[in-house]
Amino acid sequence: MIAKVNRESCIGCGACESVCPKVFQMDEEGLAIVIATPVPQDEEAGAQEAADGCPVEAITLE
């Protein structure tokens, strides 16, 4: 699984990082970045939860 963050859509709420910190992190600009590519198999459920919980749907999973 590959996670991607659309930085143009990201509002920097930090929900993804709080749900799945091994995959998502906030950068120096206050926007989410993916820090694990591919997503570790044991983190896939958390990544999905983060994507589902993103208020602006900025996270996609492939």
Side-chain angles (χ1 to χ4, degrees), residues 11 13 15 50-58:
I11 59 172
C13 71
D52 292 344
C54 180
V56 293
E57 300 178 354

Side-chain angles (χ1 to χ4, degrees), residues 4-49:
K4 296 182 181 179
V5 175
N6 180 335
R7 291 176 55 83
E8 292 180 15
S9 299
C10 180
I11 59 172
C13 71
C16 57
E17 182 180 39
S18 67
V19 170
C20 195
K22 292 184 179 178
V23 176
F24 302 99
Q25 187 175 62
M26 305 310 286
D27 70 6
E28 64 280 346
E29 296 176 31
L31 299 175
I33 58 170
V34 177
I35 59 170
T37 301
V39 173
Q41 193 168 20
D42 62 338
E43 295 295 324
E44 287 183 356
Q48 185 65 58
E49 184 179 346

